[in-house]
Amino acid sequence: MNGVNSGPQSAKSPLNLRPRAAKLFATLFAAFLITASTAHANVGEAFGFGSKNAALGGLSVATSETDGFSAYNNPALLAAPGGKRRLYLSWGMKLMSPSFTPITGVVVENNYTSDKVPARTGTVDTEYRDTLGQELGFTYVLFPEWNRFTFGLTAFLPLDSVAYLDSGEAFQPEYFMYRSRTQRPQIEIATGLQFSDQVSFGVGGHVGYSITSNATVFLQTSQNRPSTARIAASLKPKIAPYFGLLYKPSVNFHLGLVTRLALK
C-alpha cells in the first residue's frame, strides 16, 4: 500500500511545479512590459548596494551567497542554489562625494549662436552634491518547498534631501552618475525561483522618481516693474522591470546575468 500511495505524492513534488512557476514569471514579465516607464534615481548603478558589492568592484551579480541587497544586485540570487537561511536583513549608510577634473575653456557663445565676436568661453560646473542616505535590504524565502520562492526588497532613502532640482547650464555635459538622480528615493522589489540545483531566475521592478518642472517667465520692459519667473516641479514615481539569471555549475564557478529595462 505504501508503494501505491507514493505515486500521487511524488506528482506534487517541486520539480513538477516548475511549468507553473514559468507561467507565473511569464505573466510578471508581460505585466512589467505593459506598465513600465522610464525610472530614474538609480543609486545602485552609480554606487551599488552593500559592502560586499563594493569589495567585489560591483561584481556581486554572481556572488556565492544571498544577502539583503540581492533584490537589486541580481534577483536570481534571492533563490540561489545552495542557500540555507530563510531571512536576510542588511542595513548601511552611504556617503559618496564625487570629484571630477575641472573642464575649462568651453565655447558658450560665438557668432553662430549670437553676434558675439570674439567667442565667449566658460567653465563647466563639476561640483556634484554629496549623496547621503541609508540603504535597507530584506530577503525572505516564502516557500522553501516550492522551488525556493523568495521575495526581496532593497531601498535607498536619502537623508540630505528628498529631491534636488538642478537647472544646470545649457552647455553642461552630464556624467555617468547624473547630477540630481542620486538625490531621490529608490526601491527595488523582486522575486526569485530556483529551477534546478544549478539555475535560478528572478524578476523585479525598479521604482524610481522623476521630476517634471515648468517655468513661467514674465518679462517687463519698464524699469519700474521687475521681471519675474516662477518654477513649479512635481516628483512622480515610475517603474521599470529588470531580470536576473544565475548559473552555478560548481562551487568555484558562478555565472550571473542581469538585464535592466527603461521603457517609455
Side-chain angles (χ1 to χ4, degrees), residues 69-93:
F69 299 117
S70 295
Y72 175 83
N73 295 330
N74 187 349
L77 288 171
L78 295 173
K84 298 180 180 179
R85 296 172 54 186
R86 293 193 62 178
L87 176 63
Y88 299 85
L89 294 175
S90 300
W91 178 87
M93 295 291 297

Side-chain angles (χ1 to χ4, degrees), residues 39-50 69 71-73 94 131-137 152-159 161-163 177 180-189 205-210 235-240 242 260:
H40 300 308
N42 206 324
V43 179
E45 288 186 358
F47 307 120
F49 288 103
F69 299 117
Y72 175 83
N73 295 330
K94 185 180 294 295
T131 299
L132 175 63
Q134 55 181 332
E135 49 187 13
L136 307 173
L153 184 146
T154 299
F156 172 77
L157 305 175
L159 298 178
S161 59
V162 177
M177 299 189 320
S180 60
R181 294 184 184 179
T182 59
Q183 307 289 333
R184 309 172 196 172
Q186 172 182 343
I187 301 175
E188 316 290 332
I189 303 175
H206 162 69
V207 182
Y209 291 81
S210 62
L235 189 67
K236 297 181 179 180
K238 293 186 176 182
I239 185 171
Y242 62 99
R260 306 182 191 275

Side-chain angles (χ1 to χ4, degrees), residues 105-110 113-114 119-124 169 171:
V106 179
V107 176
V108 298
E109 193 174 10
N110 54 24
T113 59
S114 66
R120 183 171 66 90
T121 60
T123 301
V124 176
E169 298 287 348
F171 60 92

Side-chain angles (χ1 to χ4, degrees), residues 165 210-214 232-236 238:
L165 180 63
S210 62
I211 294 181
T212 302
S213 59
N214 296 312
S234 60
L235 189 67
K236 297 181 179 180
K238 293 186 176 182

Side-chain angles (χ1 to χ4, degrees), residues 15-63:
L15 295 176
N16 294 325
L17 290 176
R18 283 168 188 162
R20 188 180 301 175
K23 293 181 181 179
L24 172 62
F25 273 80
T27 304
L28 293 175
F29 178 81
F32 275 127
L33 291 182
I34 295 174
T35 61
S37 59
T38 300
H40 300 308
N42 206 324
V43 179
E45 288 186 358
F47 307 120
F49 288 103
S51 57
K52 180 191 298 184
N53 180 76
L56 295 175
L59 297 179
S60 56
V61 65
T63 56

Side-chain angles (χ1 to χ4, degrees), residues 14-15 18 64 76 79-83 144 147-148 193-201 246-251 253-254:
L15 295 176
R18 283 168 188 162
S64 59
N147 297 80
R148 198 174 170 79
L193 276 178
Q194 178 180 340
F195 285 109
S196 69
D197 295 337
Q198 297 178 343
V199 179
S200 61
F201 177 76
L246 181 66
Y247 177 55
K248 298 175 62 175
S250 65
V251 178
F253 180 78
H254 305 152

